[in-house]
Amino acid sequence: PLYFQDSIFPATRRVRQELLPKLRGLGVDWGCQVYLPTLSERLVAGLAENGCTYLYTGIESGSDNILRAIGKTGLTRALTLERLGWFVRYGIRAGLSLMFGAMADDGRVLETDDTVTETVSLAYELQERGVPIAGIYSNVQTVLPGTFLDETLAASGRRLDFYSMPRTK
């Protein structure tokens, strides 16, 4: 199988007009990464028609409050349910990224028992709706060097970036 790890890959006109028909002609399974707010049902149908069998996307949380706090304002629980419903309609398996431990820009942990419950219940609801989930990839929010969060934490004397965090022995 082939996998394209670029969330804007399938949306470009040239890819749709030239590459997708070539992928269909290869007769191999292939998939790519997508960002749900930019996805249309027409695009999902076109991907399926051209042999796409797997789409990976970061839904991150089932909590709209967490999604807003981490800057994913276009992504909501309702939108996730709608767009992944299209995967059911067109027979495309989903790979889903879930993120736990969301932090505010000042480093406060925003994740609560309630927001974790919202995320877990979203995963169950997707299963109940028949979304063909190939895998759920859970992770924790990582503070990357040079991001706003990293700079805010550094200004307050705290370093939490991935490269300088203490490691276990």
Side-chain angles (χ1 to χ4, degrees), residues 35-38 57-85 96-98 118-119 122-123 125-126 129:
Y35 181 52
L36 290 181
T38 63
T57 191
I59 60 175
E60 314 312 356
S61 179
S63 165
D64 287 344
N65 291 332
I66 293 289
L67 292 168
R68 277 191 303 276
I70 63 172
K72 291 211 169 189
T73 54
L75 187 59
T76 64
R77 183 185 187 102
L79 184 131
T80 296
L81 291 168
E82 173 195 50
R83 306 286 160 96
L84 292 178
L96 307 174
S97 172
L98 299 178
E118 287 179 87
T119 301
L122 175 60
E125 187 170 352
L126 291 168
R129 290 178 178 220

PDB file of all heavy atoms in Angstrom, residues 35-38 57-85 96-98 118-119 122-123 125-126 129:
ATOM      1  N   TYR A  35      -7.456  16.845   6.681  1.00  0.00           N
ATOM      2  CA  TYR A  35      -7.918  17.711   7.766  1.00  0.00           C
ATOM      3  C   TYR A  35      -9.424  17.842   7.581  1.00  0.00           C
ATOM      4  O   TYR A  35      -9.891  18.391   6.576  1.00  0.00           O
ATOM      5  CB  TYR A  35      -7.202  19.065   7.709  1.00  0.00           C
ATOM      6  CG  TYR A  35      -7.594  20.017   8.803  1.00  0.00           C
ATOM      7  CD1 TYR A  35      -7.546  19.628  10.144  1.00  0.00           C
ATOM      8  CD2 TYR A  35      -8.002  21.309   8.509  1.00  0.00           C
ATOM      9  CE1 TYR A  35      -7.903  20.493  11.155  1.00  0.00           C
ATOM     10  CE2 TYR A  35      -8.355  22.194   9.520  1.00  0.00           C
ATOM     11  CZ  TYR A  35      -8.307  21.783  10.844  1.00  0.00           C
ATOM     12  OH  TYR A  35      -8.663  22.646  11.847  1.00  0.00           O
ATOM     13  N   LEU A  36     -10.196  17.319   8.502  1.00  0.00           N
ATOM     14  CA  LEU A  36     -11.644  17.210   8.334  1.00  0.00           C
ATOM     15  C   LEU A  36     -12.348  18.511   7.954  1.00  0.00           C
ATOM     16  O   LEU A  36     -13.231  18.485   7.091  1.00  0.00           O
ATOM     17  CB  LEU A  36     -12.286  16.615   9.595  1.00  0.00           C
ATOM     18  CG  LEU A  36     -11.997  15.135   9.861  1.00  0.00           C
ATOM     19  CD1 LEU A  36     -12.713  14.672  11.125  1.00  0.00           C
ATOM     20  CD2 LEU A  36     -12.388  14.265   8.685  1.00  0.00           C
ATOM     21  N   PRO A  37     -12.002  19.664   8.533  1.00  0.00           N
ATOM     22  CA  PRO A  37     -12.729  20.881   8.147  1.00  0.00           C
ATOM     23  C   PRO A  37     -12.587  21.264   6.672  1.00  0.00           C
ATOM     24  O   PRO A  37     -13.428  21.976   6.138  1.00  0.00           O
ATOM     25  CB  PRO A  37     -12.137  21.962   9.061  1.00  0.00           C
ATOM     26  CG  PRO A  37     -11.716  21.219  10.277  1.00  0.00           C
ATOM     27  CD  PRO A  37     -11.181  19.912   9.728  1.00  0.00           C
ATOM     28  N   THR A  38     -11.558  20.787   5.999  1.00  0.00           N
ATOM     29  CA  THR A  38     -11.371  21.129   4.586  1.00  0.00           C
ATOM     30  C   THR A  38     -11.925  20.060   3.652  1.00  0.00           C
ATOM     31  O   THR A  38     -11.863  20.216   2.436  1.00  0.00           O
ATOM     32  CB  THR A  38      -9.878  21.349   4.260  1.00  0.00           C
ATOM     33  OG1 THR A  38      -9.161  20.125   4.466  1.00  0.00           O
ATOM     34  CG2 THR A  38      -9.284  22.450   5.118  1.00  0.00           C
ATOM     35  N   THR A  57      -6.696  11.154  10.120  1.00  0.00           N
ATOM     36  CA  THR A  57      -6.980  12.525  10.511  1.00  0.00           C
ATOM     37  C   THR A  57      -6.863  12.694  12.018  1.00  0.00           C
ATOM     38  O   THR A  57      -7.090  11.752  12.777  1.00  0.00           O
ATOM     39  CB  THR A  57      -8.393  12.942  10.033  1.00  0.00           C
ATOM     40  OG1 THR A  57      -8.542  14.341  10.204  1.00  0.00           O
ATOM     41  CG2 THR A  57      -9.498  12.197  10.755  1.00  0.00           C
ATOM     42  N   GLY A  58      -6.500  13.884  12.421  1.00  0.00           N
ATOM     43  CA  GLY A  58      -6.416  14.209  13.837  1.00  0.00           C
ATOM     44  C   GLY A  58      -7.719  14.800  14.326  1.00  0.00           C
ATOM     45  O   GLY A  58      -8.027  15.946  14.015  1.00  0.00           O
ATOM     46  N   ILE A  59      -8.504  14.007  15.053  1.00  0.00           N
ATOM     47  CA  ILE A  59      -9.722  14.568  15.649  1.00  0.00           C
ATOM     48  C   ILE A  59      -9.408  15.128  17.032  1.00  0.00           C
ATOM     49  O   ILE A  59     -10.177  15.909  17.560  1.00  0.00           O
ATOM     50  CB  ILE A  59     -10.884  13.562  15.683  1.00  0.00           C
ATOM     51  CG1 ILE A  59     -10.551  12.317  16.501  1.00  0.00           C
ATOM     52  CG2 ILE A  59     -11.302  13.181  14.280  1.00  0.00           C
ATOM     53  CD1 ILE A  59     -11.717  11.354  16.665  1.00  0.00           C
ATOM     54  N   GLU A  60      -8.311  14.705  17.614  1.00  0.00           N
ATOM     55  CA  GLU A  60      -7.727  15.209  18.850  1.00  0.00           C
ATOM     56  C   GLU A  60      -8.599  15.052  20.088  1.00  0.00           C
ATOM     57  O   GLU A  60      -8.145  14.520  21.070  1.00  0.00           O
ATOM     58  CB  GLU A  60      -7.271  16.673  18.734  1.00  0.00           C
ATOM     59  CG  GLU A  60      -6.488  17.018  17.494  1.00  0.00           C
ATOM     60  CD  GLU A  60      -5.344  16.084  17.106  1.00  0.00           C
ATOM     61  OE1 GLU A  60      -5.023  15.126  17.831  1.00  0.00           O
ATOM     62  OE2 GLU A  60      -4.762  16.292  16.040  1.00  0.00           O
ATOM     63  N   SER A  61      -9.834  15.545  20.070  1.00  0.00           N
ATOM     64  CA  SER A  61     -10.655  15.525  21.274  1.00  0.00           C
ATOM     65  C   SER A  61     -12.129  15.468  20.911  1.00  0.00           C
ATOM     66  O   SER A  61     -12.542  15.941  19.854  1.00  0.00           O
ATOM     67  CB  SER A  61     -10.387  16.798  22.095  1.00  0.00           C
ATOM     68  OG  SER A  61     -11.181  16.824  23.269  1.00  0.00           O
ATOM     69  N   GLY A  62     -12.918  14.923  21.810  1.00  0.00           N
ATOM     70  CA  GLY A  62     -14.362  14.951  21.663  1.00  0.00           C
ATOM     71  C   GLY A  62     -14.966  16.174  22.331  1.00  0.00           C
ATOM     72  O   GLY A  62     -16.166  16.367  22.315  1.00  0.00           O
ATOM     73  N   SER A  63     -14.123  17.001  22.916  1.00  0.00           N
ATOM     74  CA  SER A  63     -14.569  18.202  23.616  1.00  0.00           C
ATOM     75  C   SER A  63     -14.383  19.433  22.739  1.00  0.00           C
ATOM     76  O   SER A  63     -13.254  19.782  22.384  1.00  0.00           O
ATOM     77  CB  SER A  63     -13.768  18.372  24.915  1.00  0.00           C
ATOM     78  OG  SER A  63     -13.927  19.674  25.438  1.00  0.00           O
ATOM     79  N   ASP A  64     -15.477  20.094  22.413  1.00  0.00           N
ATOM     80  CA  ASP A  64     -15.375  21.324  21.626  1.00  0.00           C
ATOM     81  C   ASP A  64     -14.562  22.392  22.364  1.00  0.00           C
ATOM     82  O   ASP A  64     -13.849  23.176  21.741  1.00  0.00           O
ATOM     83  CB  ASP A  64     -16.768  21.862  21.277  1.00  0.00           C
ATOM     84  CG  ASP A  64     -17.464  21.017  20.214  1.00  0.00           C
ATOM     85  OD1 ASP A  64     -16.796  20.212  19.535  1.00  0.00           O
ATOM     86  OD2 ASP A  64     -18.691  21.176  20.068  1.00  0.00           O
ATOM     87  N   ASN A  65     -14.644  22.406  23.695  1.00  0.00           N
ATOM     88  CA  ASN A  65     -13.859  23.379  24.468  1.00  0.00           C
ATOM     89  C   ASN A  65     -12.362  23.137  24.297  1.00  0.00           C
ATOM     90  O   ASN A  65     -11.588  24.083  24.135  1.00  0.00           O
ATOM     91  CB  ASN A  65     -14.235  23.339  25.948  1.00  0.00           C
ATOM     92  CG  ASN A  65     -15.631  23.874  26.204  1.00  0.00           C
ATOM     93  OD1 ASN A  65     -16.129  24.714  25.452  1.00  0.00           O
ATOM     94  ND2 ASN A  65     -16.264  23.396  27.262  1.00  0.00           N
ATOM     95  N   ILE A  66     -11.943  21.893  24.333  1.00  0.00           N
ATOM     96  CA  ILE A  66     -10.521  21.563  24.131  1.00  0.00           C
ATOM     97  C   ILE A  66     -10.110  21.928  22.709  1.00  0.00           C
ATOM     98  O   ILE A  66      -9.060  22.540  22.490  1.00  0.00           O
ATOM     99  CB  ILE A  66     -10.239  20.074  24.416  1.00  0.00           C
ATOM    100  CG1 ILE A  66     -10.423  19.758  25.896  1.00  0.00           C
ATOM    101  CG2 ILE A  66      -8.849  19.674  23.925  1.00  0.00           C
ATOM    102  CD1 ILE A  66      -9.384  20.317  26.831  1.00  0.00           C
ATOM    103  N   LEU A  67     -10.928  21.584  21.735  1.00  0.00           N
ATOM    104  CA  LEU A  67     -10.591  21.885  20.340  1.00  0.00           C
ATOM    105  C   LEU A  67     -10.387  23.387  20.132  1.00  0.00           C
ATOM    106  O   LEU A  67      -9.437  23.804  19.476  1.00  0.00           O
ATOM    107  CB  LEU A  67     -11.661  21.338  19.399  1.00  0.00           C
ATOM    108  CG  LEU A  67     -11.733  19.806  19.332  1.00  0.00           C
ATOM    109  CD1 LEU A  67     -12.990  19.362  18.608  1.00  0.00           C
ATOM    110  CD2 LEU A  67     -10.484  19.233  18.695  1.00  0.00           C
ATOM    111  N   ARG A  68     -11.270  24.206  20.707  1.00  0.00           N
ATOM    112  CA  ARG A  68     -11.099  25.667  20.596  1.00  0.00           C
ATOM    113  C   ARG A  68      -9.813  26.111  21.279  1.00  0.00           C
ATOM    114  O   ARG A  68      -9.075  26.942  20.759  1.00  0.00           O
ATOM    115  CB  ARG A  68     -12.301  26.389  21.206  1.00  0.00           C
ATOM    116  CG  ARG A  68     -13.480  26.515  20.270  1.00  0.00           C
ATOM    117  CD  ARG A  68     -14.552  27.458  20.807  1.00  0.00           C
ATOM    118  NE  ARG A  68     -15.063  27.068  22.116  1.00  0.00           N
ATOM    119  CZ  ARG A  68     -16.028  26.169  22.319  1.00  0.00           C
ATOM    120  NH1 ARG A  68     -16.588  25.559  21.293  1.00  0.00           N
ATOM    121  NH2 ARG A  68     -16.439  25.882  23.540  1.00  0.00           N
ATOM    122  N   ALA A  69      -9.540  25.549  22.455  1.00  0.00           N
ATOM    123  CA  ALA A  69      -8.368  25.956  23.235  1.00  0.00           C
ATOM    124  C   ALA A  69      -7.053  25.635  22.540  1.00  0.00           C
ATOM    125  O   ALA A  69      -6.069  26.355  22.712  1.00  0.00           O
ATOM    126  CB  ALA A  69      -8.406  25.302  24.619  1.00  0.00           C
ATOM    127  N   ILE A  70      -7.022  24.564  21.737  1.00  0.00           N
ATOM    128  CA  ILE A  70      -5.774  24.204  21.049  1.00  0.00           C
ATOM    129  C   ILE A  70      -5.718  24.768  19.635  1.00  0.00           C
ATOM    130  O   ILE A  70      -4.820  24.433  18.859  1.00  0.00           O
ATOM    131  CB  ILE A  70      -5.536  22.675  21.038  1.00  0.00           C
ATOM    132  CG1 ILE A  70      -6.630  21.931  20.269  1.00  0.00           C
ATOM    133  CG2 ILE A  70      -5.388  22.150  22.462  1.00  0.00           C
ATOM    134  CD1 ILE A  70      -6.346  20.448  20.046  1.00  0.00           C
ATOM    135  N   GLY A  71      -6.678  25.638  19.311  1.00  0.00           N
ATOM    136  CA  GLY A  71      -6.634  26.328  18.023  1.00  0.00           C
ATOM    137  C   GLY A  71      -7.278  25.592  16.869  1.00  0.00           C
ATOM    138  O   GLY A  71      -7.127  25.986  15.721  1.00  0.00           O
ATOM    139  N   LYS A  72      -8.000  24.526  17.146  1.00  0.00           N
ATOM    140  CA  LYS A  72      -8.697  23.792  16.069  1.00  0.00           C
ATOM    141  C   LYS A  72     -10.142  24.263  16.014  1.00  0.00           C
ATOM    142  O   LYS A  72     -11.085  23.489  16.210  1.00  0.00           O
ATOM    143  CB  LYS A  72      -8.587  22.291  16.295  1.00  0.00           C
ATOM    144  CG  LYS A  72      -7.171  21.780  16.109  1.00  0.00           C
ATOM    145  CD  LYS A  72      -7.171  20.382  15.608  1.00  0.00           C
ATOM    146  CE  LYS A  72      -5.762  20.011  15.173  1.00  0.00           C
ATOM    147  NZ  LYS A  72      -5.738  18.735  14.484  1.00  0.00           N
ATOM    148  N   THR A  73     -10.315  25.556  15.736  1.00  0.00           N
ATOM    149  CA  THR A  73     -11.633  26.174  15.804  1.00  0.00           C
ATOM    150  C   THR A  73     -12.579  25.664  14.726  1.00  0.00           C
ATOM    151  O   THR A  73     -13.782  25.720  14.903  1.00  0.00           O
ATOM    152  CB  THR A  73     -11.519  27.701  15.709  1.00  0.00           C
ATOM    153  OG1 THR A  73     -10.787  28.028  14.523  1.00  0.00           O
ATOM    154  CG2 THR A  73     -10.796  28.265  16.930  1.00  0.00           C
ATOM    155  N   GLY A  74     -12.070  25.192  13.614  1.00  0.00           N
ATOM    156  CA  GLY A  74     -12.933  24.671  12.556  1.00  0.00           C
ATOM    157  C   GLY A  74     -13.377  23.251  12.797  1.00  0.00           C
ATOM    158  O   GLY A  74     -14.247  22.733  12.102  1.00  0.00           O
ATOM    159  N   LEU A  75     -12.803  22.602  13.789  1.00  0.00           N
ATOM    160  CA  LEU A  75     -13.095  21.201  14.073  1.00  0.00           C
ATOM    161  C   LEU A  75     -14.012  21.130  15.293  1.00  0.00           C
ATOM    162  O   LEU A  75     -13.708  21.706  16.328  1.00  0.00           O
ATOM    163  CB  LEU A  75     -11.797  20.443  14.333  1.00  0.00           C
ATOM    164  CG  LEU A  75     -11.858  18.934  14.499  1.00  0.00           C
ATOM    165  CD1 LEU A  75     -12.448  18.274  13.267  1.00  0.00           C
ATOM    166  CD2 LEU A  75     -10.470  18.379  14.777  1.00  0.00           C
ATOM    167  N   THR A  76     -15.125  20.440  15.155  1.00  0.00           N
ATOM    168  CA  THR A  76     -16.054  20.238  16.264  1.00  0.00           C
ATOM    169  C   THR A  76     -16.463  18.772  16.301  1.00  0.00           C
ATOM    170  O   THR A  76     -16.262  18.035  15.337  1.00  0.00           O
ATOM    171  CB  THR A  76     -17.329  21.095  16.108  1.00  0.00           C
ATOM    172  OG1 THR A  76     -18.026  20.650  14.924  1.00  0.00           O
ATOM    173  CG2 THR A  76     -17.009  22.587  16.023  1.00  0.00           C
ATOM    174  N   ARG A  77     -17.054  18.403  17.403  1.00  0.00           N
ATOM    175  CA  ARG A  77     -17.558  17.039  17.525  1.00  0.00           C
ATOM    176  C   ARG A  77     -18.589  16.755  16.427  1.00  0.00           C
ATOM    177  O   ARG A  77     -18.540  15.713  15.777  1.00  0.00           O
ATOM    178  CB  ARG A  77     -18.168  16.855  18.913  1.00  0.00           C
ATOM    179  CG  ARG A  77     -18.665  15.470  19.189  1.00  0.00           C
ATOM    180  CD  ARG A  77     -19.370  15.416  20.546  1.00  0.00           C
ATOM    181  NE  ARG A  77     -19.694  14.054  20.888  1.00  0.00           N
ATOM    182  CZ  ARG A  77     -19.033  13.293  21.745  1.00  0.00           C
ATOM    183  NH1 ARG A  77     -17.991  13.776  22.379  1.00  0.00           N
ATOM    184  NH2 ARG A  77     -19.398  12.046  21.982  1.00  0.00           N
ATOM    185  N   ALA A  78     -19.500  17.701  16.204  1.00  0.00           N
ATOM    186  CA  ALA A  78     -20.545  17.517  15.182  1.00  0.00           C
ATOM    187  C   ALA A  78     -19.931  17.360  13.796  1.00  0.00           C
ATOM    188  O   ALA A  78     -20.346  16.505  13.007  1.00  0.00           O
ATOM    189  CB  ALA A  78     -21.521  18.687  15.208  1.00  0.00           C
ATOM    190  N   LEU A  79     -18.924  18.170  13.475  1.00  0.00           N
ATOM    191  CA  LEU A  79     -18.268  18.069  12.170  1.00  0.00           C
ATOM    192  C   LEU A  79     -17.559  16.718  12.033  1.00  0.00           C
ATOM    193  O   LEU A  79     -17.624  16.083  10.978  1.00  0.00           O
ATOM    194  CB  LEU A  79     -17.276  19.222  11.986  1.00  0.00           C
ATOM    195  CG  LEU A  79     -16.606  19.246  10.614  1.00  0.00           C
ATOM    196  CD1 LEU A  79     -16.682  20.641  10.018  1.00  0.00           C
ATOM    197  CD2 LEU A  79     -15.155  18.797  10.734  1.00  0.00           C
ATOM    198  N   THR A  80     -16.922  16.279  13.098  1.00  0.00           N
ATOM    199  CA  THR A  80     -16.245  14.975  13.071  1.00  0.00           C
ATOM    200  C   THR A  80     -17.243  13.864  12.755  1.00  0.00           C
ATOM    201  O   THR A  80     -16.983  13.002  11.901  1.00  0.00           O
ATOM    202  CB  THR A  80     -15.537  14.707  14.412  1.00  0.00           C
ATOM    203  OG1 THR A  80     -14.499  15.682  14.598  1.00  0.00           O
ATOM    204  CG2 THR A  80     -14.940  13.316  14.470  1.00  0.00           C
ATOM    205  N   LEU A  81     -18.377  13.880  13.424  1.00  0.00           N
ATOM    206  CA  LEU A  81     -19.390  12.853  13.174  1.00  0.00           C
ATOM    207  C   LEU A  81     -19.904  12.910  11.741  1.00  0.00           C
ATOM    208  O   LEU A  81     -20.069  11.869  11.090  1.00  0.00           O
ATOM    209  CB  LEU A  81     -20.544  13.004  14.170  1.00  0.00           C
ATOM    210  CG  LEU A  81     -20.195  12.664  15.618  1.00  0.00           C
ATOM    211  CD1 LEU A  81     -21.297  13.122  16.556  1.00  0.00           C
ATOM    212  CD2 LEU A  81     -19.921  11.168  15.776  1.00  0.00           C
ATOM    213  N   GLU A  82     -20.130  14.111  11.239  1.00  0.00           N
ATOM    214  CA  GLU A  82     -20.611  14.252   9.865  1.00  0.00           C
ATOM    215  C   GLU A  82     -19.588  13.727   8.856  1.00  0.00           C
ATOM    216  O   GLU A  82     -19.914  12.894   8.006  1.00  0.00           O
ATOM    217  CB  GLU A  82     -20.893  15.724   9.556  1.00  0.00           C
ATOM    218  CG  GLU A  82     -21.236  15.953   8.091  1.00  0.00           C
ATOM    219  CD  GLU A  82     -21.151  17.417   7.694  1.00  0.00           C
ATOM    220  OE1 GLU A  82     -20.122  18.071   7.980  1.00  0.00           O
ATOM    221  OE2 GLU A  82     -22.119  17.890   7.070  1.00  0.00           O
ATOM    222  N   ARG A  83     -18.352  14.215   8.958  1.00  0.00           N
ATOM    223  CA  ARG A  83     -17.341  13.875   7.952  1.00  0.00           C
ATOM    224  C   ARG A  83     -16.948  12.402   8.007  1.00  0.00           C
ATOM    225  O   ARG A  83     -16.748  11.770   6.965  1.00  0.00           O
ATOM    226  CB  ARG A  83     -16.111  14.772   8.102  1.00  0.00           C
ATOM    227  CG  ARG A  83     -16.430  16.272   8.093  1.00  0.00           C
ATOM    228  CD  ARG A  83     -16.771  16.778   6.721  1.00  0.00           C
ATOM    229  NE  ARG A  83     -17.504  18.013   6.714  1.00  0.00           N
ATOM    230  CZ  ARG A  83     -17.004  19.229   6.581  1.00  0.00           C
ATOM    231  NH1 ARG A  83     -15.705  19.402   6.458  1.00  0.00           N
ATOM    232  NH2 ARG A  83     -17.793  20.284   6.565  1.00  0.00           N
ATOM    233  N   LEU A  84     -16.851  11.849   9.201  1.00  0.00           N
ATOM    234  CA  LEU A  84     -16.509  10.425   9.281  1.00  0.00           C
ATOM    235  C   LEU A  84     -17.677   9.553   8.842  1.00  0.00           C
ATOM    236  O   LEU A  84     -17.482   8.412   8.424  1.00  0.00           O
ATOM    237  CB  LEU A  84     -16.014  10.062  10.678  1.00  0.00           C
ATOM    238  CG  LEU A  84     -14.654  10.678  11.032  1.00  0.00           C
ATOM    239  CD1 LEU A  84     -14.245  10.321  12.452  1.00  0.00           C
ATOM    240  CD2 LEU A  84     -13.566  10.271  10.045  1.00  0.00           C
ATOM    241  N   GLY A  85     -18.869  10.093   8.866  1.00  0.00           N
ATOM    242  CA  GLY A  85     -20.015   9.388   8.285  1.00  0.00           C
ATOM    243  C   GLY A  85     -19.836   9.192   6.787  1.00  0.00           C
ATOM    244  O   GLY A  85     -20.294   8.195   6.219  1.00  0.00           O
ATOM    245  N   LEU A  96      -7.404   7.479  13.290  1.00  0.00           N
ATOM    246  CA  LEU A  96      -7.759   8.653  14.081  1.00  0.00           C
ATOM    247  C   LEU A  96      -6.705   8.958  15.136  1.00  0.00           C
ATOM    248  O   LEU A  96      -6.303   8.074  15.894  1.00  0.00           O
ATOM    249  CB  LEU A  96      -9.110   8.432  14.775  1.00  0.00           C
ATOM    250  CG  LEU A  96     -10.261   8.021  13.857  1.00  0.00           C
ATOM    251  CD1 LEU A  96     -11.489   7.685  14.690  1.00  0.00           C
ATOM    252  CD2 LEU A  96     -10.559   9.115  12.849  1.00  0.00           C
ATOM    253  N   SER A  97      -6.299  10.209  15.205  1.00  0.00           N
ATOM    254  CA  SER A  97      -5.381  10.659  16.242  1.00  0.00           C
ATOM    255  C   SER A  97      -6.187  11.329  17.346  1.00  0.00           C
ATOM    256  O   SER A  97      -7.004  12.213  17.081  1.00  0.00           O
ATOM    257  CB  SER A  97      -4.385  11.664  15.654  1.00  0.00           C
ATOM    258  OG  SER A  97      -3.617  12.250  16.691  1.00  0.00           O
ATOM    259  N   LEU A  98      -5.963  10.886  18.575  1.00  0.00           N
ATOM    260  CA  LEU A  98      -6.571  11.502  19.748  1.00  0.00           C
ATOM    261  C   LEU A  98      -5.454  12.066  20.618  1.00  0.00           C
ATOM    262  O   LEU A  98      -4.436  11.408  20.824  1.00  0.00           O
ATOM    263  CB  LEU A  98      -7.372  10.484  20.556  1.00  0.00           C
ATOM    264  CG  LEU A  98      -8.542   9.822  19.852  1.00  0.00           C
ATOM    265  CD1 LEU A  98      -9.199   8.794  20.770  1.00  0.00           C
ATOM    266  CD2 LEU A  98      -9.552  10.857  19.407  1.00  0.00           C
ATOM    267  N   GLU A 118     -15.580  12.829  27.258  1.00  0.00           N
ATOM    268  CA  GLU A 118     -16.146  13.270  25.975  1.00  0.00           C
ATOM    269  C   GLU A 118     -15.394  12.644  24.799  1.00  0.00           C
ATOM    270  O   GLU A 118     -16.005  12.250  23.803  1.00  0.00           O
ATOM    271  CB  GLU A 118     -16.088  14.795  25.863  1.00  0.00           C
ATOM    272  CG  GLU A 118     -17.078  15.535  26.722  1.00  0.00           C
ATOM    273  CD  GLU A 118     -16.943  17.036  26.562  1.00  0.00           C
ATOM    274  OE1 GLU A 118     -17.579  17.579  25.635  1.00  0.00           O
ATOM    275  OE2 GLU A 118     -16.189  17.646  27.345  1.00  0.00           O
ATOM    276  N   THR A 119     -14.077  12.566  24.914  1.00  0.00           N
ATOM    277  CA  THR A 119     -13.269  12.000  23.833  1.00  0.00           C
ATOM    278  C   THR A 119     -13.513  10.500  23.694  1.00  0.00           C
ATOM    279  O   THR A 119     -13.709   9.992  22.587  1.00  0.00           O
ATOM    280  CB  THR A 119     -11.782  12.302  24.066  1.00  0.00           C
ATOM    281  OG1 THR A 119     -11.614  13.723  24.119  1.00  0.00           O
ATOM    282  CG2 THR A 119     -10.911  11.712  22.967  1.00  0.00           C
ATOM    283  N   LEU A 122     -16.855   9.885  22.165  1.00  0.00           N
ATOM    284  CA  LEU A 122     -16.848  10.128  20.715  1.00  0.00           C
ATOM    285  C   LEU A 122     -16.334   8.899  19.976  1.00  0.00           C
ATOM    286  O   LEU A 122     -16.900   8.490  18.959  1.00  0.00           O
ATOM    287  CB  LEU A 122     -15.997  11.350  20.371  1.00  0.00           C
ATOM    288  CG  LEU A 122     -15.822  11.636  18.876  1.00  0.00           C
ATOM    289  CD1 LEU A 122     -17.165  11.880  18.188  1.00  0.00           C
ATOM    290  CD2 LEU A 122     -14.882  12.823  18.676  1.00  0.00           C
ATOM    291  N   ALA A 123     -15.274   8.289  20.479  1.00  0.00           N
ATOM    292  CA  ALA A 123     -14.736   7.079  19.837  1.00  0.00           C
ATOM    293  C   ALA A 123     -15.785   5.971  19.810  1.00  0.00           C
ATOM    294  O   ALA A 123     -15.971   5.306  18.783  1.00  0.00           O
ATOM    295  CB  ALA A 123     -13.476   6.614  20.558  1.00  0.00           C
ATOM    296  N   GLU A 125     -19.048   6.407  19.918  1.00  0.00           N
ATOM    297  CA  GLU A 125     -20.127   6.807  19.019  1.00  0.00           C
ATOM    298  C   GLU A 125     -19.751   6.563  17.561  1.00  0.00           C
ATOM    299  O   GLU A 125     -20.576   6.133  16.755  1.00  0.00           O
ATOM    300  CB  GLU A 125     -20.498   8.281  19.228  1.00  0.00           C
ATOM    301  CG  GLU A 125     -21.710   8.689  18.438  1.00  0.00           C
ATOM    302  CD  GLU A 125     -22.247  10.068  18.800  1.00  0.00           C
ATOM    303  OE1 GLU A 125     -21.786  10.665  19.773  1.00  0.00           O
ATOM    304  OE2 GLU A 125     -23.149  10.529  18.071  1.00  0.00           O
ATOM    305  N   LEU A 126     -18.500   6.822  17.216  1.00  0.00           N
ATOM    306  CA  LEU A 126     -18.047   6.555  15.847  1.00  0.00           C
ATOM    307  C   LEU A 126     -18.158   5.070  15.524  1.00  0.00           C
ATOM    308  O   LEU A 126     -18.598   4.695  14.434  1.00  0.00           O
ATOM    309  CB  LEU A 126     -16.619   7.057  15.652  1.00  0.00           C
ATOM    310  CG  LEU A 126     -16.449   8.577  15.670  1.00  0.00           C
ATOM    311  CD1 LEU A 126     -14.978   8.956  15.764  1.00  0.00           C
ATOM    312  CD2 LEU A 126     -17.102   9.205  14.444  1.00  0.00           C
ATOM    313  N   ARG A 129     -21.754   4.108  14.936  1.00  0.00           N
ATOM    314  CA  ARG A 129     -22.245   4.589  13.640  1.00  0.00           C
ATOM    315  C   ARG A 129     -21.640   3.820  12.465  1.00  0.00           C
ATOM    316  O   ARG A 129     -21.935   4.117  11.317  1.00  0.00           O
ATOM    317  CB  ARG A 129     -21.950   6.074  13.487  1.00  0.00           C
ATOM    318  CG  ARG A 129     -22.792   6.935  14.401  1.00  0.00           C
ATOM    319  CD  ARG A 129     -22.440   8.390  14.247  1.00  0.00           C
ATOM    320  NE  ARG A 129     -23.280   9.225  15.081  1.00  0.00           N
ATOM    321  CZ  ARG A 129     -23.769  10.394  14.708  1.00  0.00           C
ATOM    322  NH1 ARG A 129     -23.495  10.884  13.511  1.00  0.00           N
ATOM    323  NH2 ARG A 129     -24.510  11.098  15.526  1.00  0.00           N
TER     324      ARG A 129
END
